[in-house]
Amino acid sequence: MADRRAQLVSRVRDTLADALGAARTRLSGAQADLTAGRERLARVRRAASAVPERVGAERDRRLAEIDSRHAARIAELARRAAEAARREAPGAAAQEWPGWRPTPAGRGEPVGALRVGALRVGALAVPGAEPVPALVPLLDAGHVELDGADRDGCDAVVAALLLRALGRADPGAVRLMGYDPEHLGGGLAGFAPLGTAGLLTFVGPGGLGRLLDDLVEQIRRINETVLAGEHASLRDLAEATGRRPEPWRVAVLLGGDELSRHERGQLDRVVRTGAACGVHLVVRGVPLPDDPTVVRVVADPDGARVGGSPGLPVRLDPPPPAALVTETCRDVAARFNAGPPPTPFTDLLPPPELMWREDSATGLTAPIGEAPSGRPVTVTLGDYPPHALIGGPSGTGKTNLIFAWIGALAARYSPNELEFYLLDFKEGVSFARFAQGRRDPSWLPHMRLVGINVNTDREFGLALLRFLAEELRRRADAAKKHEVTKLAELRAVDPTGRWPRIVAVVDEFQMLLAGRDVVAREAADLLEDLARRGRSQGIHLVLASQDVRGIEALWGRPALVAQFTLRIALPKALRILAERNDAAQSLPRWHAVVNAESGLPEGNEVARIPSASDWETWSGLQHRLWRMRPQDAAPARLFDGDAIPRLADAPDFRALRPGDGTTRGPVALLGEIIDVQARSAALRLPRAPGRNLAVLGTRVDEACAVLDAAARSLARQHRPGAARFSIACLDPDADPVARALYEDLADDASWYDEETVPELMAETAAGLASTGDPHYLLLFAVDAAAGALSARAGGRNGLEQLRRILHDGPERRTHVLAWWRGVARMRADLGGPAARTDQIGAWVALDAHGGELGSSLYPGTGGPDWYPRPWRGLFFDRAVHRTGQVIIPYGPSR
């Protein structure tokens, strides 16, 4: 039993020992697990404590990245907005005041939006972001209403809008109208210089109704006559045509009393319809109706807003500097008063392939300039209107207008359709370029005559009128032959004939009609006949003058002026338009009033004239037309009153041949006649009594020139040895010319001086008993030999022999061509004051006055209307002339 108990105890002890060991093992494992758990917990706790810091750092990094991207985006948007603003409002429309200057908009550039400040939004809170201009649409866009307690801010906006509008437009393209009843215009004082050019007008208290009525009328007129249903607005018209025919009109209304019902109605009409017609309002203290075209700017002390409620917050710009406003306005006024630049001359010309395609049978039509609407202003010369008057003070562009008109016509009509005759009575050579010259060998193919520097040669103008009168007679005879009355009908029945229309242009024509002498009277008669009958035969007159007042030859001739129904008045022209038509008084430079209704106001049409008279502009067209000229085209006849013609160049001299005078007698050429054909004054010397020549006057060079030309032209008609020339020089000053003549005539000439001239008289008088070869006595200053000739030789003194030669010589082919240095001296040599002078059949008076010539040398009483002038002479041939003929002695032959 004890063993069993011991065994049992032993087993119990073993079991307990095993259990204790197991427990201890499990305890040890649990303690290890606890320690590991505690370590894990510590690690978890440590990791958990690090998570917020890491997450916060990541969050902060992500937020910073988002903020950076947002700022960059905002800055980019601000940059794009500023760039868009610059495109919409370039140059003066948005430039800040430091460095601001006017920059008129070019074709296609925007003009409507104008800067008033900068936006105060998030873009401006981002460091480095570009400020965004705050723009307000005005020109061609709408109206601006100002409100708020910040009066200075409102005034700054008004000044900025007006100055920027002026800076974005050409001078005169913006017209301002001010209504400021509180300060009587003081609110716009800086813009006062515009008033000198009519670009700023003020309306006094009580005048608002009239101002609004005028604006409504302007809108009505533009809609009816300018837009005319073809365009929705002036802006559309300008984009379509490239031209703006009307200015912008900006009415600035600064306060006032409550509007009347009529004023409110007119204001509403302007708001609704004005922007399309360039009529705009900038108002303060005058409420405008709600309309899409109205932009409101509210300026308060705590900030400003643009647009409707709540609007965009803006920071208003400071007002423009007063000096900048004044200086800009003065410059705009000065440039406007100077006038806009001319249009390009090429605008008047057809394309090259269409040149010379027009037919002039019924008239001549061509543009002369550009109307305010941009359309060409055309003028016509035909049955109506037939003739034109052009008037304007010196420097207003008469010559340029004539160039433009001639160019437009010459480019459209060929030389077979149109001919020009030009005459310029003022000193100048502008018209010379139409003829062939040393500088430019080209000429205008249509030009038949160009007369320049003819201010002292009124006879040349008279010669042109005589030529045209003869052409009129020729055409009238042809029309009568074909039983028609007008040029168009004549051309239809006579297609092979050459019947171009003729345009005769006379600049400063009053010179031709000045005074009450024979030239003025005949010129006025011819002008009246040409003006009255020329229209039906295609002869048109264009007369230009600084002023038609004081032209005595026109007094009592209303029928003459009435024929000139086409009137073109340049700036400040007087008496060209009708009496009460003063449209030309306000014209700017490069403009003209074209009126085809005899100057009546209803016929007015304003044209901007291109610049056509400078050398480069004109030469391009002339060279093109010159290259197109017909093969048989000849250069125009150029008459220069300041030039001295040369005998060798005279067509009549070149045509002379030996033996020409065999039948009717040889011809002595004395000088160039002042006429259209450049003919020579010719004295025919047949075997007939009195065929001698006297040159009268003290001018040595001119007298020598007449005798020299006469001798050389006579020698050209005789073969060597067939005629005798006896040259007696009795004035030392004439010796060079006489000696050169003697040397050139060689064996046919004999030389005599004061000592030997009596021998010449005796020999020649003795030889009159028979008729031999022609003998020409060329006596230079023959009166100087009076003493030597008074001595008796062979029973007669030399003067008696001279008188016998003058009396009997021509019938025996002996002719005297002598120069006397005065009419009285000649009379003394011929036998005294009562002596007969019929043996002097022809004479050339130089500086001898008409009264000296008297009835014995000139038919009628009192002598001819002759007033000497340099290098001119009056030629009279009893056998040919009824009146004297003004000539130009030929220049020296060497």
Side-chain angles (χ1 to χ4, degrees):
M1 226 30 212
D3 292 335
R4 189 182 284 178
R5 193 182 291 122
Q7 291 177 348
L8 181 61
V9 168
S10 178
R11 284 199 300 272
V12 169
R13 286 179 178 174
D14 291 338
T15 303
L16 289 174
D18 292 338
L20 178 61
R24 286 177 177 174
T25 300
R26 288 196 295 271
L27 176 61
S28 177
Q31 288 176 341
D33 291 340
L34 177 61
T35 302
R38 287 176 176 172
E39 289 177 355
R40 285 197 301 272
L41 177 61
R43 286 197 303 269
V44 169
R45 286 177 176 174
R46 286 195 302 271
S49 63
V51 167
E53 181 179 353
R54 188 170 61 252
V55 171
E58 180 65 19
R59 178 200 61 197
D60 292 343
R61 187 186 66 79
R62 293 294 301 275
L63 288 175
E65 182 180 343
I66 292 172
D67 289 342
S68 176
R69 287 202 303 268
H70 177 71
R73 180 61 176 168
I74 292 295
E76 175 63 17
L77 292 176
R79 186 190 65 79
R80 292 183 181 182
E83 183 178 340
R86 283 193 296 270
R87 287 196 303 268
E88 186 66 21
Q95 176 68 39
E96 297 189 44
W97 300 127
W100 186 92
R101 62 183 179 85
T103 56
R107 182 172 180 177
E109 289 187 343
V111 295
L114 305 173
R115 172 179 172 139
V116 296
L119 296 181
R120 288 193 300 111
V121 292
L124 300 180
V126 176
E130 185 174 357
V132 179
L135 304 180
V136 170
L138 183 63
L139 302 182
D140 280 337
H143 317 280
V144 178
E145 179 182 352
L146 301 167
D147 199 1
D150 186 358
R151 189 183 186 91
D152 291 340
C154 292
D155 291 342
V157 172
V158 171
L161 289 175
L162 299 184
L163 186 61
R164 293 188 186 280
L166 291 170
R168 284 299 289 161
D170 291 326
V174 173
R175 310 288 176 90
L176 303 182
M177 289 144 281
Y179 175 69
D180 187 10
E182 297 181 12
H183 297 88
L184 302 179
L188 301 175
F191 295 88
L194 295 174
T196 61
L199 302 178
L200 171 63
T201 56
F202 286 104
V203 177
L208 179 59
R210 293 192 301 275
L211 172 59
L212 294 175
D213 290 344
D214 179 67
L215 294 178
V216 171
E217 175 59 24
Q218 294 289 353
I219 295 170
R220 183 205 62 77
R221 178 187 61 81
I222 291 170
N223 277 319
E224 181 178 329
T225 64
V226 180
L227 299 178
E230 298 181 12
H231 303 278
S233 66
L234 288 177
R235 182 174 183 173
D236 292 345
L237 187 151
E239 291 177 351
T241 65
R243 300 178 178 89
R244 185 178 182 88
E246 292 285 333
W248 288 282
R249 294 174 173 86
V250 181
V252 184
L253 314 181
L254 303 179
D257 298 331
E258 185 176 352
L259 302 184
S260 68
R261 182 177 179 181
H262 173 74
E263 292 170 344
R264 172 56 62 186
Q266 295 292 66
L267 184 68
D268 291 351
R269 294 183 182 94
V270 173
V271 170
R272 290 195 313 271
T273 62
C277 298
V279 177
H280 307 280
L281 300 172
V282 177
V283 304
R284 188 195 66 213
V286 179
L288 296 182
D290 291 333
D291 192 88
T293 61
V294 176
V295 175
R296 290 178 170 81
V297 178
V298 180
D300 290 321
D302 58 348
R305 302 186 308 278
V306 173
S309 179
L312 287 174
V314 299
R315 173 180 52 80
L316 296 178
D317 286 338
L324 178 62
V325 175
T326 304
E327 179 182 352
T328 301
C329 292
R330 285 176 180 166
D331 180 66
V332 169
R335 292 169 61 192
F336 177 74
N337 286 329
T343 58
F345 177 51
T346 52
D347 287 357
L348 298 186
L349 307 180
E353 63 273 13
L354 296 181
M355 288 184 175
W356 289 7
R357 297 291 184 86
E358 300 291 334
D359 187 297
S360 66
T362 58
L364 300 166
T365 300
I368 199 172
E370 177 187 276
S373 63
R375 299 182 178 91
V377 176
T378 59
V379 291
T380 297
L381 289 175
D383 288 345
Y384 188 90
H387 313 292
L389 271 179
I390 301 174
S394 178
T396 55
K398 289 194 306 299
T399 301
N400 179 74
L401 185 144
I402 292 171
F403 269 75
W405 196 359
I406 289 175
L409 287 171
R412 285 167 171 78
Y413 299 93
S414 73
N416 290 326
E417 299 289 334
L418 169 64
E419 289 182 349
F420 285 110
Y421 293 79
L422 302 188
L423 197 59
D424 188 358
F425 272 101
K426 66 179 182 296
E427 296 183 12
V429 295
S430 299
F431 290 167
R433 69 186 63 177
F434 296 123
Q436 191 175 34
R438 292 186 301 272
R439 178 182 176 184
D440 185 353
S442 71
W443 69 87
L444 191 65
H446 310 69
M447 202 62 58
R448 305 314 316 138
L449 173 71
V450 177
I452 60 175
N453 293 316
V454 294
N455 49 304
T456 60
D457 289 317
R458 296 162 60 230
E459 295 84 2
F460 188 76
L462 183 59
L464 172 60
L465 296 181
R466 288 170 176 168
F467 172 83
L468 295 176
E470 177 61 25
E471 177 65 16
L472 176 61
R473 184 198 62 78
R474 186 180 75 88
R475 294 185 175 206
D477 289 346
K480 184 177 180 180
K481 175 183 177 182
H482 290 88
E483 299 181 345
V484 295
T485 58
K486 296 181 179 181
L487 181 68
E489 299 169 346
L490 176 60
R491 290 176 54 153
V493 299
D494 184 21
T496 60
R498 189 175 184 276
W499 306 107
R501 287 191 179 266
I502 292 175
V503 176
V505 182
V506 184
D507 195 7
E508 302 302 341
F509 75 97
Q510 74 275 7
M511 299 287 294
L512 176 61
L513 303 177
R516 298 183 180 179
D517 57 5
V518 173
V519 173
R521 289 193 294 272
E522 184 179 355
D525 290 339
L526 289 171
L527 271 177
E528 185 168 350
D529 183 57
L530 287 168
R532 180 170 49 85
R533 299 195 298 130
R535 69 169 70 199
S536 61
Q537 303 303 332
I539 298 178
H540 309 284
L541 302 175
V542 177
L543 305 184
S545 173
Q546 293 186 24
D547 194 357
V548 297
R549 292 183 300 181
I551 303 174
E552 297 181 2
L554 289 181
W555 290 358
R557 294 180 182 268
L560 171 57
V561 180
Q563 297 295 329
F564 291 80
T565 52
L566 176 59
R567 312 287 178 85
I568 302 178
L570 293 156
K572 302 295 186 289
L574 299 174
R575 300 289 295 275
I576 295 295
L577 303 177
E579 184 175 354
R580 297 184 180 179
N581 189 351
D582 59 355
Q585 303 309 306
S586 59
L587 283 178
R589 192 184 178 205
W590 302 108
H591 284 68
V593 175
V594 179
N595 187 304
E597 301 296 335
S598 299
L600 296 175
E602 54 266 26
N604 288 349
E605 192 171 8
V606 176
R608 183 155 63 120
I609 310 300
S611 176
S613 58
D614 64 275
W615 178 269
E616 293 184 2
T617 298
W618 178 261
S619 62
L621 173 64
Q622 179 161 307
H623 277 262
R624 176 182 292 275
L625 299 181
W626 181 62
R627 291 191 294 269
M628 296 168 57
R629 71 189 186 279
Q631 293 183 353
D632 59 347
R637 148 92 156 125
L638 175 63
F639 176 84
D640 185 352
D642 287 348
I644 298 176
R646 297 178 67 251
L647 178 65
D649 297 333
D652 290 339
F653 179 76
R654 293 198 301 266
L656 293 176
R657 298 291 184 272
D660 284 351
T662 303
T663 303
R664 300 177 55 198
V667 172
L669 305 183
L670 310 178
E672 183 176 286
I673 301 173
I674 298 182
D675 72 351
V676 174
Q677 292 95 348
R679 296 175 299 162
S680 297
L683 171 63
R684 190 166 291 280
L685 299 176
R687 296 177 59 182
R691 302 317 293 161
N692 302 300
L693 173 71
V695 181
L696 306 172
T698 61
R699 294 175 180 159
V700 178
D701 293 340
E702 298 168 28
C704 291
V706 173
L707 292 182
D708 181 78
R712 293 179 185 276
S713 57
L714 288 168
R716 192 175 177 90
Q717 299 167 71
H718 298 286
R719 293 180 175 84
R724 177 184 172 191
F725 294 85
S726 296
I727 302 172
C729 182
L730 307 169
D731 186 337
D733 292 337
D735 189 81
V737 175
R739 185 71 65 176
L741 176 63
Y742 168 70
E743 293 174 355
D744 290 345
L745 295 180
D747 296 338
D748 293 337
S750 302
W751 180 264
Y752 298 87
D753 54 22
E754 187 174 359
E755 295 181 359
T756 58
V757 70
E759 300 176 8
L760 171 63
M761 296 298 133
E763 177 188 350
T764 304
L768 294 178
S770 62
T771 301
D773 291 334
H775 185 192
Y776 305 103
L777 281 70
L778 300 160
L779 309 179
F780 291 78
V782 63
D783 55 284
L789 294 176
S790 297
R792 290 195 172 271
R796 291 178 180 267
N797 66 29
L799 288 178
E800 291 177 350
Q801 293 167 341
L802 173 61
R803 294 166 195 156
R804 183 187 172 203
I805 296 169
L806 289 169
H807 188 274
D808 299 334
E811 293 183 84
R812 292 172 174 66
R813 303 176 72 182
T814 299
H815 306 274
V816 176
L817 295 86
W819 163 36
W820 278 275
R821 294 173 298 182
V823 177
R825 289 173 178 261
M826 183 192 71
R827 291 184 186 277
D829 287 352
L830 295 181
R836 294 178 60 87
T837 58
D838 52 356
Q839 64 268 43
I840 303 296
W843 47 262
V844 175
L846 300 175
D847 55 353
H849 285 265
E852 300 179 59
L853 300 170
S855 59
S856 62
L857 291 172
Y858 194 81
T861 59
D865 286 334
W866 169 245
Y867 302 95
R869 50 190 189 267
W871 211 266
R872 297 294 185 270
L874 183 67
F875 171 48
F876 181 74
D877 185 346
R878 296 175 188 266
V880 178
H881 297 148
R882 291 189 301 170
T883 60
Q885 193 174 62
V886 179
I887 67 170
I888 307 173
Y890 289 114
S893 299
R894 286 192 178 183

